[in-house]
Amino acid sequence: MARNPGRTVFIGNLDEKVSERVLYEILIQAGHVVGLHVPSNKESNSRKGYAFAEYETEDIAQYAVRLFSGLVRINGKTLKFVIAGHDKPSSNDNKSVLLNHVPSSNGNNPHIRW
C-alpha cells in the first residue's frame, strides 16, 4: 500500500523482465522519485506485472500520469499509469515511445525500495 496515495503512481502492464533500474530511469523524467516498489510473488519470486512509484509531490505524480499514459511501451507492452487508488488509467493519443529492455552490462540493478 502506498504511503502517500496522492503522490503515488500505479504502473500496470509491466513486463516481468523489466529491471527496476530501467523503470526508474523512465519515471525520473517526470520528476523526483521518492520510492519505487515492484512487487514479486513470494512463492515463485517472479514479478507481478505492476509497480508503484512515489513522487515528491502530488503535482509531479499527476504530471507523470499525463506525461507517460499511452506513450511508454516496453518489450511490446504499453504501460498503464494512474494515481494510486484511482480506478481508470489516463489515456494519451500521442505516439508511443518504444523501449526495449536491455540488461545492464555489469548485472547490477539498484533496488530502490520504500
Side-chain angles (χ1 to χ4, degrees), residues 5 8-13 49-53 65 80-86 89:
T8 302
V9 175
F10 170 84
I11 301 116
N13 203 32
Y50 59 90
F52 296 95
V65 170
K80 298 180 191 301
F81 295 86
V82 65
I83 299 296
H86 296 190

Side-chain angles (χ1 to χ4, degrees), residues 2 21 23 37 43 58 60 80 88 92 95-96 106 111:
R21 181 67 182 171
L23 184 57
H37 178 64
E43 294 173 8
E58 289 185 19
I60 296 171
K80 298 180 191 301
K88 289 188 178 181
N92 192 330
K95 293 182 179 179
S96 294
N106 62 7
H111 295 285

Side-chain angles (χ1 to χ4, degrees), residues 28-98:
I28 63 171
Q29 300 306 309
H32 185 238
V33 176
V34 176
L36 177 61
H37 178 64
V38 184
S40 296
N41 184 317
K42 291 179 183 180
E43 294 173 8
S44 66
N45 206 27
S46 63
R47 300 241 169 102
K48 292 187 176 183
Y50 59 90
F52 296 95
E54 182 181 342
Y55 283 95
E56 191 171 35
T57 68
E58 289 185 19
D59 288 338
I60 296 171
Q62 292 170 1
Y63 173 69
V65 170
R66 288 190 313 272
L67 178 66
F68 298 135
S69 292
L71 294 178
V72 181
R73 188 172 170 86
I74 304 175
N75 292 349
K77 295 176 122 182
T78 302
L79 302 187
K80 298 180 191 301
F81 295 86
V82 65
I83 299 296
H86 296 190
D87 56 352
K88 289 188 178 181
S90 295
S91 62
N92 192 330
D93 294 331
N94 295 330
K95 293 182 179 179
S96 294
V97 175
L98 299 175

